Amino acid sequence: MAHAQDIFDRLKQDHDDHRAMLDRMAQTHGDSDERAKLLEQFTKDVKSHAAAEEQALYSTMLRKPETTDETRHSVAEHHELNEALNDLAATDMSSSAWMAKFKQLDHDYRHHINEEEEDHFPDFAKYLHEDDVQYMRRVFERRKEAEKADAQVTPEKKGDAKE
Ligand SMILES: [Fe+2]
Ligand SMILES: [Fe+2]
């Protein structure tokens, strides 16, 4: 059935952008402007994506008993991801630790978005109507724009994380 872009297509579009940014970041070297710029761009886009994804889609899926557990799992991964991004921003870009942390983040984030696309989204779709998924896409657009205007890179080592 032909339809306008729904919430799932829209989220996958961001995921593809994020995969491309990860590929580009992996090619950067040391304490370079390119690495710093890409990390800032990636961090702001991923943080605002995750926040808007929770507001537009996860809030509804948390309320449905059939999808509560898997949605909680994904929200927990968003928290871990934010911590990993903040930790990476607090790490010297010229150190080997930076690349090691980047590789871990790259692995964990790809796992997160693959799981969303392959497991969660198809499950969620079973409990949503065509109107819901169109409406959610519009909410996502609005919320991502607002979240992105406020998104920040907040360097914080994992061990320093406050409660
Ligand atoms: Fe997510
Ligand atoms: Fe996502």
Side-chain angles (χ1 to χ4, degrees):
M1 163 177 55
H3 61 77
Q5 195 187 39
D6 67 24
I7 182 71
F8 301 117
D9 299 325
R10 181 61 190 82
L11 294 169
K12 285 177 198 165
Q13 186 185 317
D14 270 9
H15 293 172
D16 285 340
D17 286 350
H18 297 158
R19 289 181 180 101
M21 284 188 229
L22 286 168
D23 288 343
R24 297 213 318 267
M25 246 187 303
Q27 304 299 319
T28 60
H29 299 280
D31 191 358
S32 59
D33 284 351
E34 199 197 356
R35 180 173 281 184
K37 239 176 84 187
L38 276 169
L39 181 61
E40 180 179 351
Q41 199 189 335
F42 181 76
T43 299
K44 289 183 176 177
D45 209 78
V46 167
K47 283 184 177 180
S48 53
H49 168 94
E53 183 172 63
E54 290 177 8
Q55 292 156 2
L57 175 65
Y58 285 7
S59 55
T60 299
M61 304 329 294
L62 275 173
R63 283 200 300 276
K64 296 189 190 287
E66 297 86 350
T67 51
T68 300
D69 285 349
E70 62 181 321
T71 308
R72 278 190 189 140
H73 168 90
S74 234
V75 170
E77 288 186 352
H78 285 178
H79 285 293
E80 285 164 18
L81 178 69
N82 268 343
E83 279 188 16
L85 285 167
N86 295 343
D87 188 49
L88 191 60
T91 304
D92 178 355
M93 288 194 302
S94 62
S95 68
S96 59
W98 192 92
M99 201 27 105
K101 287 178 183 183
F102 170 77
K103 283 186 176 152
Q104 186 66 49
L105 175 78
D106 179 284
H107 173 274
D108 294 346
Y109 189 59
R110 286 180 200 266
H111 169 85
H112 174 75
I113 58 184
N114 289 342
E115 194 175 41
E116 285 183 329
E117 293 176 7
E118 289 159 22
D119 299 337
H120 299 327
F121 295 171
D123 275 346
F124 294 168
K126 288 187 227 156
Y127 303 100
L128 299 171
H129 300 288
E130 183 67 17
D131 288 354
D132 299 325
V133 294
Q134 300 301 336
Y135 173 72
M136 285 175 173
R137 197 249 314 147
R138 294 194 294 276
V139 174
F140 178 81
E141 297 291 0
R142 251 198 335 267
R143 287 308 311 157
K144 190 178 174 201
E145 205 179 301
E147 289 289 342
K148 198 152 182 194
D150 288 343
Q152 283 180 33
V153 176
T154 45
E156 185 172 60
K157 286 273 185 198
K158 247 179 199 159
D160 304 341
K162 292 167 218 77
E163 308 281 270

